[in-house]
Every structure is written in C-alpha cells, then in structure tokens.
Amino acid sequence: MQTRVSSMEDIKDSLQRAQPRVVPLVLLKVFVLFLPLGVGFSALSLYMTRNLKVQNVVFQARAGFQPCVEEQSSLDWWIRPPSNLMHNMSDEELLWRASFVPQVKKYPFKRVPKIAFMFLTRGPLPLSPLWEKYFKGHKGLYSIYIHALPSYQGNFTSDSVFYRRQIPSKVSEWGQMSMCDAERRLLANALLDLSNEWFVLLSESCIPLSNFSIAYQYLMRSRHSFIGAMDDPGPFGRGRYDLNMAPEVNITQWRKGSQWFAVSRKPAVSMVKDTTYYPKFEKFCKPNCYVDEHYFPTMLTIESPHLLANRTITWVDWSRGGAHPATFGRADITETFLKSILEGTTCPYNNQSISVCHLFGRKFAPSALEPLLQLAPKMLGFS
Ligand SMILES: *[C@@H]1O[C@H](CO)[C@@H](O)[C@H](O)[C@H]1NC(C)=O
Ligand SMILES: *[C@@H]1O[C@H](CO)[C@@H](O)[C@H](O)[C@H]1NC(C)=O
Ligand SMILES: *[C@@H]1O[C@H](CO)[C@@H](O)[C@H](O)[C@H]1NC(C)=O
Ligand SMILES: *[C@@H]1O[C@H](CO)[C@@H](O)[C@H](O)[C@H]1NC(C)=O
Ligand SMILES: *[C@@H]1O[C@H](CO)[C@@H](O)[C@H](O)[C@H]1NC(C)=O
Ligand SMILES: *[C@@H]1O[C@H](CO)[C@@H](O)[C@H](O)[C@H]1NC(C)=O
C-alpha cells in the first residue's frame, strides 16, 4: 500500500512537472469538448456489460441450465413440465397455451397422474409446516402453485415443497372478476404440466383433513369434479342473475357455490379456454353479484353437468351466521372438534354413499398450527 501510494504520487508529480504552467486555450477547449463524450461512452459500455450479464443469467435460468438445441426432437421435450414457473407470458398467451389438449387419449409414455395444489393467497402461508408434513414422502404425485400479491416474495428455503412455486400474479379482489382471473391463472400454469390430473384450489387458511394417500385415491377414483353448484331460488342465488346474460346463460342454468373447487383436467381446460361466458359474467355479474361464487359453477353446469358432483370437498363452518364463515384458532383445535368435522356425515361419491365428505378445511388462523401439528398423527393420519 505504502509503495503504491508513493508511486502514484510520483506519477502525479512527474505529470505536473511535464506540463507547462499555463495550459494553452485551444487544448483546454478540446478537453472540455471531449470530457462529456468520454464519460458518456464509459457509462454506455458499463450499462451494456451489465445488461448482457443479466440477460445471460435470465436465459440460463429459463433453460434450466440445460442445452436447448437437440431437445425438440425427442418426446421428452414435449412432456417435460416448465422448469421455471416465472415465465413472462401475458394472461392471453398463457390461457391460449394452457388450452392445448392432446386428441389421442392414450399417453405413449408412463404418466403418473399428479394433484396440483393451487394456493391463492395474499402473501405468506402460515400453515405451511402442516402442509410440508402432509406432502412428505409423496414426491412425484403432487405439484404446488402459489398465486400471491405481485409484490410478495416468498422466502421458502430450497428444501421446502413451496420453494420457487410462485407463479406470475396480479392483484385480485374478492367478489370481482380479478378473482376468477387469478384462479384461471393458477389453473393455466398447472395445466402446463401434463401430469397434473386434478386441480385443487386452496387458501392460506386451508388445512388438509386426511393424509395424502387418502386424498390421492379419493380424487383419482372420482368420476365427478368437486365444485359447489346449487340452484338457489332466493335473492342471493337466482336474485343475482341478470337477463342480459341470455341467451348464453339461462336463469335455469344459474348456479351458486363457494370458489374452493377440486376439478379434473377436462373441466379445468373448459375453465381456462372459455370465451363464451366470460364476457357475460364480466359485464353483467356486478356489483354485489359476487362473480367468483357464480362464474365457474354456472359455466361448468352448462358445459359438462355430468362431470360435476355439485358439492365441495372443502369444509367450512357457516353456522355462526353473518357474511363470513368462522375462523378457528388455537383454543378451538381439540380432538372433539376435529372429530366433529371428520365424522357423522355421508355424501354421494360415484353414485354411492361415503363417510369421507371433505378432504380439506377452512378457515384456520396461524395460531391453529401448533395444536394441529400435535393432533395430525392421531386425527388426520400423518405426522
Ligand atoms: C417476453 O420476453 C420476450 C423475449 O425477452 C419478449 O419478446 C416478449 O415481448 C416478452 N413478453 C411479455 C408478455 O412481456
Ligand atoms: C420468512 O419471512 C418471515 C417474515 O417475513 C419469517 O417469519 C420467516 O421465518 C421467514 N422464513 C424463512 C424460511 O426464512
Ligand atoms: C330458459 O329455460 C326455460 C325453462 O327451461 C325455457 O323455457 C326457455 O326457453 C330457456 N330460454 C332460453 C333462451 O334458452
Ligand atoms: C349435478 O347437477 C347437474 C345439473 O346441474 C346434473 O346434471 C348432475 O347429474 C349432478 N351431478 C350429480 C353427481 O348428481
Ligand atoms: C346409482 O345409479 C343407478 C343407475 O345408474 C340408480 O338407479 C341409483 O339410484 C343410483 N344410486 C344412488 C345412490 O344414487
Ligand atoms: C392414511 O390414513 C389412513 C386412515 O386414517 C390410514 O389407514 C393410512 O395408513 C394412512 N396412510 C399413511 C401412508 O399414513
């Protein structure tokens, strides 16, 4: 350091010595003229180097660090799910891409069907430790997608099932078409993985009510998709129908149900590709219509009624009355409480009666996590 400083000073000294005391005016003018040019040029080259580097990183991330030359010539290229969920497709591009459907029914490769768990959330997933346990040991049978506020950056570590599972998102509001848009965005991203056969919509307050194996069998063997679709003659049902929706939507086809669905691939494709009913709902299901309670149940009832169970598999408690269902916290979570959710009811399933009615439940506060983790082995069948 010492020697470098002194040598620098030596150089400065020698420069000063070499220069005449009075700089000629012409030289000064030339200097003043070229200074901004020089500064500009170095700024430009700095920017270009940085930008090139960024582009290179983005490219490598997209390609998943794999060479992308020979790939298109093998089947693998066509059936491999996207390696990076953070694509830059617009909604229009994404929905179009997601609507691709193979016309040959038999897959010419070993396809292990998966369940896509689609979390529609504002930000963090406070119950994620419970879900981590739920998914443990079932790799290859599920995939996870998270739609959060665009500003939210999840901080899951690389050993988490939620790591890098966030999809490009937009702000969505309850009761607005933007909520259905978010659900379609989740479906479309999940459809890009050909292995996904079931598509379950969940929120940050949802919990599993069985273990993964039970849920997997329940869904894979079901002939019907689970979405509430009720014909309610009252003011909050048919009362929300607008005659302007005819002829695409008749009042006899108007349905209502909670937004938390679990649908198989065929209805999922109908939901992302729809351009017939969407404009009608967007235009005439507002305000106080709560489009997210009507759009998918009605649309699917018209398009494929035979594929619908017309009931949900997500348990919720409306018994307290009011505009919102009950939320359960630490003090509520007891064996008796969980038993009351899990037992004592029967539901139609593949045209038979079954005692397992719900695979998921809402709404659970973050404080419910600890007692749920404790009771999960005994009550929910996983640890
Ligand atoms: C996505 O990126 C490509 C290449 O960088 C660009 O041409 C395209 O316009 C982008 N699309 C969107 C929707 O931003
Ligand atoms: C993520 O951030 C939240 C708060 O922002 C924090 O409570 C949590 O511990 C963080 N998780 C990890 C895995 O870093
Ligand atoms: C709507 O349904 C009713 C009863 O099924 C029927 O009489 C009527 O013709 C339908 N309207 C349209 C436009 O399909
Ligand atoms: C659900 O309702 C539709 C009519 O809205 C009906 O066609 C279908 O059979 C029902 N599904 C079951 C499983 O009963
Ligand atoms: C099951 O379907 C048969 C006809 O396919 C019908 O006769 C029977 O009532 C159905 N059972 C139940 C429980 O819905
Ligand atoms: C899942 O739960 C069922 C019923 O509680 C139980 O019989 C089964 O052994 C559990 N499966 C696993 C893999 O733990």
Side-chain angles (χ1 to χ4, degrees):
M1 212 52 198
Q2 200 67 42
T3 52
R4 225 181 118 202
V5 169
S6 64
S7 69
M8 280 289 279
E9 273 167 5
D10 286 347
I11 291 168
K12 226 162 66 188
D13 282 350
S14 65
L15 275 175
Q16 269 171 3
R17 248 181 273 125
Q19 271 175 16
R21 287 246 159 246
V22 186
V23 183
L25 201 64
V26 183
L27 237 141
L28 200 72
K29 268 188 186 161
V30 169
F31 181 71
V32 166
L33 209 76
F34 276 91
L35 187 67
L37 212 79
V39 169
F41 189 81
S42 36
L44 186 75
S45 58
L46 203 78
Y47 169 79
M48 292 224 334
T49 333
R50 232 193 255 161
N51 209 33
L52 273 179
K53 241 189 238 159
V54 168
Q55 279 191 354
N56 207 22
V57 167
V58 168
F59 173 74
Q60 286 184 341
R62 277 222 196 101
F65 294 97
Q66 282 155 349
C68 54
V69 195
E70 36 73 44
E71 289 176 346
Q72 215 160 336
S73 61
S74 81
L75 178 67
D76 262 6
W77 189 86
W78 294 95
I79 64 181
R80 190 171 40 221
S83 57
N84 182 4
L85 294 188
M86 274 299 171
H87 58 75
N88 84 334
M89 282 182 274
S90 67
D91 281 349
E92 188 190 9
E93 293 168 341
L94 172 69
L95 295 180
W96 175 79
R97 174 63 189 84
S99 70
F100 290 12
V101 174
Q103 298 298 307
V104 174
K105 291 297 162 222
K106 189 178 175 301
Y107 292 95
F109 56 93
K110 186 168 168 6
R111 175 181 183 261
V112 179
K114 295 195 287 191
I115 305 174
F117 291 83
M118 312 183 300
F119 288 86
L120 182 56
T121 161
R122 278 178 296 268
L125 298 170
L127 303 174
S128 62
L130 186 69
W131 287 103
E132 297 271 5
K133 285 194 160 40
Y134 176 78
F135 289 120
K136 207 166 146 216
H138 301 285
K139 203 169 192 291
L141 298 180
Y142 65 87
S143 36
I144 291 173
Y145 301 85
I146 302 170
H147 187 290
L149 286 177
S151 58
Y152 179 73
Q153 265 300 323
N155 61 349
F156 292 103
T157 51
S158 59
D159 56 348
S160 164
V161 298
F162 296 100
Y163 179 64
R164 296 184 69 189
R165 300 310 297 178
Q166 214 170 318
I167 62 162
S169 308
K170 290 184 188 168
V171 174
S172 48
E173 289 173 273
W174 302 112
Q176 309 288 315
M177 208 59 186
S178 59
M179 185 57 64
C180 301
D181 292 338
E183 293 170 25
R184 298 222 292 175
R185 216 170 280 130
L186 276 164
L187 282 169
N189 279 282
L191 279 165
L192 297 184
D193 184 342
L194 278 176
S195 304
N196 286 329
E197 185 58 37
W198 279 84
F199 302 81
V200 182
L201 186 67
L202 299 159
S203 79
E204 66 261 56
S205 75
C206 283
I207 63 162
L209 288 179
S210 75
N211 61 24
F212 183 87
S213 322
I214 298 275
Y216 189 82
Q217 287 180 32
Y218 198 96
L219 292 178
M220 291 304 165
R221 291 178 187 176
S222 174
R223 293 204 295 264
H224 303 113
S225 285
F226 300 96
I227 182 166
M230 181 171 67
D231 181 5
D232 171 2
F236 306 122
R238 286 196 181 197
R240 293 177 183 166
Y241 174 78
D242 185 324
L243 264 175
N244 284 307
M245 294 187 186
E248 284 82 359
V249 183
N250 193 328
I251 191 163
T252 59
Q253 300 164 319
W254 185 251
R255 292 292 182 277
K256 177 180 176 170
S258 101
Q259 69 185 134
W260 309 105
F261 58 71
V263 297
S264 63
R265 204 167 170 96
K266 192 157 182 283
V269 171
S270 305
M271 289 155 90
V272 302
K273 81 176 168 88
D274 171 43
T275 52
T276 307
Y277 310 103
Y278 186 98
K280 289 281 175 163
F281 279 85
E282 187 184 33
K283 208 161 166 202
F284 301 115
C285 186
K286 64 181 184 189
N288 298 332
C289 172
Y290 302 97
V291 68
D292 54 274
E293 293 181 2
H294 299 282
Y295 173 48
F296 293 129
T298 303
M299 189 220 99
L300 289 175
T301 290
I302 300 171
E303 293 239 308
S304 42
H306 59 289
L307 291 181
L308 305 184
N310 305 318
R311 69 176 178 94
T312 177
I313 43 165
T314 304
W315 179 88
V316 71
D317 179 15
W318 283 101
S319 69
R320 296 184 190 178
H324 299 283
T327 300
F328 301 97
R330 180 187 300 274
D332 301 302
I333 312 302
T334 60
E335 261 189 63
T336 321
F337 169 72
L338 289 178
K339 227 180 213 158
S340 75
I341 301 179
L342 297 168
E343 293 172 8
T345 42
T346 57
C347 310
Y349 176 83
N350 288 349
N351 188 23
Q352 279 182 330
S353 189
I354 196 172
S355 66
V356 179
C357 293
H358 302 106
L359 299 179
F360 310 102
R362 53 190 285 268
K363 309 168 66 170
F364 291 83
S367 69
L369 176 64
E370 210 187 297
L372 281 169
L373 284 172
Q374 266 171 31
L375 289 174
K378 184 168 180 200
M379 301 303 295
L380 307 177
F382 64 93
S383 53

